[in-house]
Amino acid sequence: MEIVFNAAGNFIVEVGKSVFKCIYPKIEDIVHFSTKIENLSKEMEKLAKFRDDIKEKVEGAEGEGYKAKPDVIKWIEDVHELENEWKDMQEKIAAAKTPTYKCCPKCCLRSKVSTQAQNIRDQQCGLIDVGKNFGSNLVVENYRMKKVEHIPGPSIEGQPAATRNLNELLRLLEDDKVCIIGVWGTGGVGKTTLVKNLNNELLKNVPSSKLSFGIVIWVTVPKPPIDVRKIQEQIASRLNLKVDKEGSVESIAGKICERLKEEKSFLLILDDVWEAIDLDDVGVPQLSVRRKIIITCRSLEVCRQMRTNREMNIFTLEEDESLQLFVKNAGDVANLEYIQTLAMDIARECGGLPLAITVIGSSMRGKTRVELWQDALDSLTRSKPHSKVVEDKVYGVIKWSYDSLESRDIQSCFLYCSLYPAAIPIDDLIHCWWAEGILGEHDTYEQAYNRGITLVESLKDACLLEADKMEDEDCVKMHDMVRDVARWIPSTSGDEDTYVFQAGIGLTEISRITISTSVKRISFVSNKIECLPDCFTKCPKTTSLLLQDNHHLMKIPREFFLAFPALRVLNLSGTGIRELPSSINSLSQLRALILQSCHWLNDLPTVANLHNLQVLDCEFTGIRRLPQGMENLTNLRLLMISGSCLGATSFDEISSLHNLTHLSIRVDSSSCLNGDYTWTWMTRLKGFLIKVGETPIYVPYKKSIRAINVAECEIFSNGELSGMLQFASDLYLDKCMGLRKLIAYSPFNGLKLLDIKGCSCSFGPVEGGSGQFDPLPNLEHLVLRFVENLKSVSDFGQYLGLRFSKLRQLDMDFCGSLTCLFNDGGSCCVPKHLEDITISCCTHLVDLFVQDQATLINSEMPRVRKLKLDHLPGLVGTLGEPQSMWEHLEELMVIGCYGLRKLPLSIQTSKNIKIIEGESFWWSELEWDDDNFKSNLECCYKNRYYYR
């Protein structure tokens, strides 16, 4: 019928052109209504596609650190509004197309709709023109920040439940009705891991434009009380927004708000929220469809207080996933036939909580006796790890691990660790445990220390302590939640006042803190305390006072220590104190006084009354003399005071300390000038580090090493140091002369390491030969650095009469005259036990070993396992014979040896090689006996950049 009407209409239009000129446009709108509407629909589709193209270019540029120009943003919004207006017209258009009685069109409605359509057509043309005028000038340079930054964390790959949670979270982010999402659940259930994986998922090219945010901001929320400024600092840093750190919270909030308003979309992730946060105080602008927030917390109530639109409860693991994670931590023992059922039951008792599964699973690792598994299951069944309070669930499970520790001693050690806010130095920890008496009774420091290490490892095995990878191997740390549990445990037995823990919270003064007179241990570690109160609460039962790492603390009130008559542990390490008050001498029960790295401390008051002191650690201080009353410290086992050189009388005072077994001290060379000095007292020492003079060689103190470090000393001619040196296992000599005379006076049977630096002796032939006896028969490690006039290690050995019968490791560095390591002749052949060789910056070295065939046949060749060659320009061709020396090589490093063009055949064909390090061009230029040899070793090669 519409076709018939159009045909008739065309005739009417033609007549109307001449007859009804004034009403012709109206007639045309009515007659050609459908055609015009169809054309406009096509034009609107073109506009939408044009808009999408510009939007795609803008979003691509935003990912590279640019932002859209305001007029471009306004244009995109205008197109969107016009599209909505066009969509709203569709019902009227449909009605106008429907004929009325006897198939007549709705003329009035068509006329009205046509007028609206023409208005839209005019706007559409205008928008097209404006869009074309933009050209490529769509964006301006922004703050050069990435839209999403990678957040390190464990992957959830292969974990079905976590993957489902991630997909659900992504779906919620796409929901226009959801602005604030609350992710809540039990502590340790994986909330933080989930949102970290979400953040990293947004790094990828997500298919949905709704998941492409202008910026994603990650904030780790500080523990209560809420510190809005710290939250603002993290947001400002992410936005590259410069704010006045001294400015008010309100002013910073205003700047953050204005900056975030510039972003058309953002996602703010607030992780680990313990109390509701006022977003207005932080500076978060009004949220909208493209401005969203995710919070993680342990409480649904916190979600409600923050007015979340949707709460996502992270549930514990299903039984099959729980068992899989449990077996992963417990090991293959959990799959043993007679244990498997018990393992399933224990995993089930953990309630699907990943933290509990990990802790308890690890505690059962390696336990093969079925009785241990039965007891563990019985204990879990009787305890209450799953109370209705979320924290109690977690605390109860971890407390089970605490209850399962082998003794009360290790339990006390675990609780003591909660006094530290972050990294815990193992040595300090053991000293405190020992001083507190919780390591048991031990006659020697060595026994106590060994027991301490055993307990540290036991706590690590139980997942109650972990290695601190951010620090070093000498530190451990506690997981935040484990520390919370450790602090909560005393309250379960009614001992709420046992501990005062105010560590790492930014305290500047402690006078207002209420402390019970029954408190046993006090920790103010890692704060900003500047002064201590003159009159402190009397604490007659306090045995530990930890004040370390308060760098601004410079003075201690004169009578401060009178408040702690029972004190056993005092740690002031890393403070700025200039002196200690005399009241420290009143601490007659003190066992450990730790003053390490108090760089401004130059003297100690008398310590005559500290009869029970076992540990005195003054490392890296400015103390230059031992305190008065030192002879009264009859229980002292460990003395560390090697920061500054002590006077000549120091050894006399130390020798009277009959229980001293471990010592670290620095003395003037004049202290050793008396050749008649009696050194027999050193037989009592199990470990020591004695520095003579201002030694530039850094030697770390280790409990089991007996090391002496001597610098610029020329007093060997009459054997002045022989008496002391004969007790050393490690000897470091820097610019010391008369080495041969020193060794000639007495054999050094205990010496295992000899490190010589800066020696310029003449290593020519020696009258009378090398002697019948090896003066260093047990030498295992030889280090020669900056040794002049030395052409070979063989010459060095002949000069001192050494056999190298037990030498395993050899390091040569900056020996400018060295031409080879070992040469044929005399009694000094290649050491048969040598397995680790490092040669660096010996510019005249041309060979490693120079021997004739007869020697090769008759000699037992060493089995070298590690070889490092660094900057040896004279080493050319190959490493040479003997081939058998390299058959067992496992590690090879070659840097700056440009003349070394070929590896020995025994290395090319070796099956023992694990790693070959070298510069890429050196590796590519190597010559091979067979191309297959190189391809076989490619997997072992690692590019090593030359950095000298």
Side-chain angles (χ1 to χ4, degrees):
M1 188 61 63
E2 183 74 10
I3 296 174
V4 173
F5 179 80
N6 285 339
N10 288 333
F11 173 76
I12 296 172
V13 167
E14 292 299 319
V15 173
K17 283 182 180 180
S18 56
V19 179
F20 304 106
K21 289 184 179 180
C22 61
I23 62 172
Y24 168 73
K26 299 281 187 182
I27 296 173
E28 185 179 49
D29 286 343
I30 296 170
V31 174
H32 292 162
F33 178 81
S34 296
T35 302
K36 288 190 173 184
I37 292 298
E38 289 174 4
N39 291 337
L40 180 56
S41 179
K42 293 178 181 178
E43 293 300 320
M44 288 300 296
E45 289 177 1
K46 291 180 181 178
L47 177 62
K49 185 178 184 305
F50 188 34
R51 185 268 321 277
D52 291 341
D53 290 340
I54 288 180
K55 196 173 180 182
E56 183 179 352
K57 292 177 182 178
V58 168
E59 289 176 348
E62 285 176 339
E64 298 176 2
Y66 293 82
K67 66 176 181 179
K69 284 187 171 182
D71 53 346
V72 174
I73 296 174
K74 178 67 166 57
W75 182 84
I76 293 174
E77 292 173 350
D78 289 343
V79 173
H80 183 69
E81 289 179 6
L82 189 62
E83 281 184 319
N84 289 338
E85 188 177 343
W86 172 245
K87 289 178 183 177
D88 292 340
M89 286 181 59
Q90 297 309 306
E91 290 184 5
K92 293 181 181 179
I93 291 172
K97 286 183 176 181
T98 304
T100 59
Y101 179 70
K102 293 184 179 181
C103 300
C104 293
K106 298 178 180 178
C107 297
C108 291
L109 182 58
R110 285 193 175 192
S111 177
K112 184 176 180 181
V113 171
S114 293
T115 301
Q116 292 178 340
Q118 184 61 42
N119 181 46
I120 289 178
R121 175 76 173 104
D122 293 341
Q123 292 184 62
Q124 185 265 342
C125 290
L127 288 170
I128 287 286
D129 291 338
V130 172
K132 288 180 178 179
N133 288 334
F134 286 148
S136 60
N137 195 17
L138 301 172
V139 295
V140 294
E141 188 171 356
N142 197 7
Y143 302 88
R144 287 295 180 188
M145 58 189 181
K146 294 181 179 179
K147 295 171 67 173
V148 188
E149 288 185 337
H150 177 78
I151 304 294
S155 171
I156 59 172
E157 186 177 356
Q159 301 178 35
T163 301
R164 288 193 298 271
N165 287 333
L166 175 60
N167 291 333
E168 173 64 12
L169 200 50
L170 290 168
R171 188 191 67 78
L172 289 176
L173 283 178
E174 291 184 289
D175 191 336
D176 291 343
K177 297 179 181 179
V178 177
C179 291
I180 306 181
I181 304 171
V183 179
W184 69 285
T186 301
V189 80
K191 304 182 295 296
T192 298
T193 298
L194 173 63
V195 291
K196 282 183 176 179
N197 277 266
L198 167 75
N199 178 91
N200 297 338
E201 186 71 18
L202 296 177
L203 270 171
K204 304 175 183 178
N205 294 321
V206 291
S208 170
S209 61
K210 291 183 178 181
L211 293 177
S212 179
F213 294 94
I215 186 170
V216 178
I217 305 170
W218 179 284
V219 174
T220 301
V221 179
K223 293 291 190 296
I226 293 175
D227 191 336
V228 174
R229 189 179 294 275
K230 288 186 178 180
I231 298 174
Q232 291 176 327
E233 286 175 358
Q234 294 181 64
I235 295 175
S237 175
R238 179 69 178 92
L239 293 170
N240 290 335
L241 181 63
K242 294 182 179 180
V243 296
D244 183 3
K245 293 185 178 180
E246 302 300 323
S248 66
V249 169
E250 291 78 9
S251 65
I252 297 174
K255 291 182 179 180
I256 290 175
C257 185
E258 290 303 313
R259 173 64 185 85
L260 284 176
K261 283 181 178 178
E262 296 177 13
E263 296 292 337
K264 65 179 181 181
S265 66
F266 65 78
L267 172 62
L268 174 61
I269 300 174
L270 299 172
D271 183 48
D272 201 16
V273 179
W274 287 69
E275 296 178 358
I277 299 170
D278 191 323
L279 298 176
D280 292 332
D281 290 347
V282 174
V284 179
Q286 185 70 34
L287 300 179
S288 63
V289 172
R290 302 293 292 119
R291 295 173 176 174
K292 303 199 174 191
I293 291 178
I294 295 175
I295 69 167
T296 70
C297 61
R298 299 183 186 181
S299 168
L300 178 60
E301 184 60 24
V302 171
C303 293
R304 290 169 176 165
Q305 290 175 2
M306 292 199 66
R307 300 177 184 176
T308 52
N309 303 113
R310 190 67 62 87
E311 296 79 42
M312 185 174 173
N313 189 0
I314 306 302
F315 295 102
T316 52
L317 300 179
E318 297 293 338
E319 188 170 317
D320 56 342
E321 288 192 65
S322 295
L323 182 59
Q324 183 179 359
L325 183 60
F326 184 88
V327 172
K328 178 181 177 181
N329 285 276
D332 293 337
V333 65
N335 288 322
L336 295 175
E337 183 177 353
Y338 62 95
I339 285 178
Q340 193 172 39
T341 301
L342 290 168
M344 294 175 64
D345 291 340
I346 291 176
R348 192 178 297 113
E349 283 294 327
C350 291
L353 187 66
L355 179 61
I357 295 168
T358 300
V359 170
I360 296 174
S362 298
S363 71
M364 302 307 295
R365 193 175 187 89
K367 296 182 178 180
T368 56
R369 296 197 59 163
V370 69
E371 294 87 350
L372 297 175
W373 288 79
Q374 290 172 337
D375 181 67
L377 179 59
D378 291 340
S379 298
L380 270 177
T381 304
R382 289 194 306 270
S383 65
K384 298 179 180 179
H386 310 296
S387 64
K388 59 182 178 180
V389 180
V390 172
E391 286 80 5
D392 284 354
K393 286 184 180 180
V394 183
Y395 289 10
V397 172
I398 297 178
K399 187 178 183 297
W400 175 88
S401 191
Y402 160 83
D403 291 334
S404 300
L405 294 173
E406 60 190 35
S407 66
R408 292 187 63 84
D409 286 346
I410 192 172
Q411 289 180 338
S412 297
C413 291
F414 166 70
L415 296 179
Y416 200 97
C417 292
S418 68
L419 296 173
Y420 296 79
I424 310 174
I426 293 175
D427 281 8
D428 277 9
L429 192 58
I430 293 175
H431 294 163
C432 294
W433 288 347
W434 187 34
E436 282 271 10
I438 55 181
L439 289 183
E441 295 297 327
H442 296 285
D443 293 333
T444 69
Y445 172 70
E446 190 174 25
Q447 291 174 337
Y449 191 84
N450 292 341
R451 177 60 179 161
I453 290 295
T454 300
L455 296 183
V456 167
E457 292 302 313
S458 295
L459 290 172
K460 287 167 66 176
D461 291 343
C463 294
L464 296 174
L465 282 183
E466 55 188 278
D468 191 342
K469 297 179 180 178
M470 298 298 290
E471 294 293 329
D472 52 48
E473 62 182 5
D474 296 324
C475 289
V476 290
K477 66 178 180 179
M478 260 188 167
H479 187 281
D480 288 346
M481 183 168 296
V482 174
R483 186 186 301 107
D484 290 342
V485 173
R487 292 172 55 198
W488 167 76
I489 286 173
S491 66
T492 63
S493 57
D495 295 329
E496 290 88 349
D497 296 329
T498 300
Y499 293 82
V500 170
F501 180 84
Q502 296 287 330
I505 59 173
L507 279 179
T508 57
E509 52 102 12
I510 61 176
S511 58
R512 297 182 181 179
I513 296 177
T514 302
I515 296 178
S516 169
T517 56
S518 62
V519 68
K520 188 174 181 182
R521 291 164 184 151
I522 300 175
S523 174
F524 293 113
V525 178
S526 299
N527 279 299
K528 299 178 181 178
I529 298 172
E530 298 178 359
C531 62
L532 300 173
D534 292 327
C535 184
F536 198 79
T537 305
K538 298 295 181 182
C539 302
K541 296 183 179 180
T542 301
T543 54
S544 283
L545 176 60
L546 306 184
L547 287 163
Q548 63 263 34
D549 297 326
N550 283 283
H551 305 295
H552 302 290
L553 179 60
M554 298 183 181
K555 185 178 180 181
I556 298 176
R558 186 178 61 180
E559 298 184 352
F560 180 77
F561 293 122
L562 297 179
F564 307 97
L567 202 63
R568 287 171 169 249
V569 175
L570 174 60
N571 194 333
L572 291 164
S573 297
T575 59
I577 57 173
R578 265 62 174 174
E579 61 180 2
L580 288 175
S582 58
S583 60
I584 196 169
N585 197 37
S586 68
L587 302 178
S588 59
Q589 299 302 312
L590 196 66
R591 263 79 166 168
L593 176 57
I594 306 173
L595 304 168
Q596 192 173 117
S597 298
C598 292
H599 302 294
W600 300 102
L601 184 62
N602 297 320
D603 205 356
L604 291 178
T606 181
V607 293
N609 291 331
L610 306 186
H611 306 286
N612 290 298
L613 197 66
Q614 297 172 328
V615 174
L616 178 57
D617 185 350
C618 302
E619 285 285 87
F620 310 114
T621 64
I623 296 173
R624 299 186 66 87
R625 66 182 182 86
L626 295 175
Q628 293 182 4
M630 195 75 183
E631 67 279 2
N632 290 358
L633 306 186
T634 54
N635 282 299
L636 195 66
R637 264 74 165 181
L638 171 66
L639 173 62
M640 302 182 71
I641 192 167
S642 65
S644 299
C645 286
L646 302 182
T649 60
S650 301
F651 282 130
D652 290 323
E653 297 175 84
I654 293 173
S655 64
S656 66
L657 302 175
H658 298 293
N659 284 310
L660 189 71
T661 57
H662 292 76
L663 173 67
S664 175
I665 190 173
R666 184 195 296 269
V667 295
D668 291 326
S669 57
S670 60
S671 301
C672 311
L673 286 176
N674 184 2
D676 297 328
Y677 192 88
T678 302
W679 299 97
T680 54
W681 63 272
M682 290 186 66
T683 58
R684 299 196 299 265
L685 299 181
K686 303 297 184 182
F688 59 78
L689 171 57
I690 299 176
K691 302 176 184 178
V692 181
E694 296 292 338
T695 58
I697 301 176
Y698 173 70
V699 180
Y701 173 74
K702 297 181 180 179
K703 301 296 179 296
S704 58
I705 299 299
R706 302 185 305 280
I708 297 179
N709 190 349
V710 186
E712 299 188 31
C713 192
E714 299 184 20
I715 55 174
F716 297 147
S717 58
N718 296 313
E720 291 90 344
L721 283 179
S722 296
M724 180 174 68
L725 297 184
Q726 65 179 323
F727 294 101
S729 63
D730 296 12
L731 178 58
Y732 298 83
L733 302 175
D734 179 36
K735 298 178 183 177
C736 294
M737 308 303 293
L739 180 61
R740 186 167 181 270
K741 291 184 178 180
L742 167 68
I743 292 180
Y745 273 90
S746 60
F748 294 87
N749 294 331
L751 198 67
K752 295 184 178 180
L753 165 65
L754 177 60
D755 186 321
I756 297 177
K757 177 185 177 184
C759 177
S760 58
C761 301
S762 173
F763 295 98
V766 179
E767 264 186 54
S770 58
Q772 298 180 349
F773 303 101
D774 187 347
L776 305 178
N778 294 301
L779 187 67
E780 297 178 358
H781 188 183
L782 176 63
V783 182
L784 299 176
R785 293 178 284 177
F786 296 96
V787 178
E788 300 177 11
N789 306 321
L790 181 64
K791 294 184 178 180
S792 72
V793 180
S794 296
D795 291 348
F796 180 82
Q798 290 175 352
Y799 178 74
L800 296 179
L802 307 181
R803 302 290 190 273
F804 297 134
S805 58
K806 293 188 178 180
L807 190 69
R808 295 182 180 274
Q809 186 172 349
L810 175 63
D811 296 329
M812 306 293 295
D813 197 4
F814 288 97
C815 296
S817 300
L818 193 73
T819 58
C820 70
L821 292 185
F822 296 94
N823 52 30
D824 183 34
S827 58
C828 188
C829 58
V830 181
K832 64 180 181 181
H833 296 296
L834 188 62
E835 59 182 32
D836 191 335
I837 302 173
T838 298
I839 316 172
S840 176
C841 299
C842 298
T843 55
H844 287 85
L845 184 79
V846 295
D847 290 296
L848 297 186
F849 308 100
V850 179
Q851 294 181 306
D852 60 28
Q853 291 299 317
T855 304
L856 290 177
I857 295 172
N858 297 325
S859 299
E860 182 179 350
M861 288 294 101
R863 297 182 173 184
V864 179
R865 299 183 184 277
K866 296 181 181 180
L867 177 63
K868 297 181 180 179
L869 307 174
D870 183 3
H871 193 61
L872 306 174
L875 195 61
V876 297
T878 184
L879 295 178
E881 300 294 344
Q883 289 284 332
S884 59
M885 188 173 294
W886 313 116
E887 291 177 351
H888 300 273
L889 195 68
E890 298 174 359
E891 298 179 21
L892 172 64
M893 186 187 82
V894 180
I895 301 292
C897 301
Y898 310 119
L900 186 61
R901 305 301 300 274
K902 185 178 181 181
L903 301 179
L905 182 61
S906 54
I907 294 181
Q908 296 183 47
T909 58
S910 174
K911 296 182 179 179
N912 294 308
I913 285 284
K914 297 178 180 178
I915 183 170
I916 300 177
E917 293 184 273
E919 296 140 306
S920 58
F921 70 86
W922 168 79
W923 177 255
S924 63
E925 294 294 325
L926 275 178
E927 300 172 3
W928 301 85
D929 291 280
D930 188 316
D931 290 340
N932 291 329
F933 295 162
K934 180 178 181 180
S935 60
N936 290 337
L937 292 178
E938 285 281 3
C939 60
C940 303
Y941 170 70
K942 178 180 179 182
N943 186 21
R944 178 74 176 262
Y945 292 102
Y946 178 66
Y947 55 87
R948 287 188 181 275

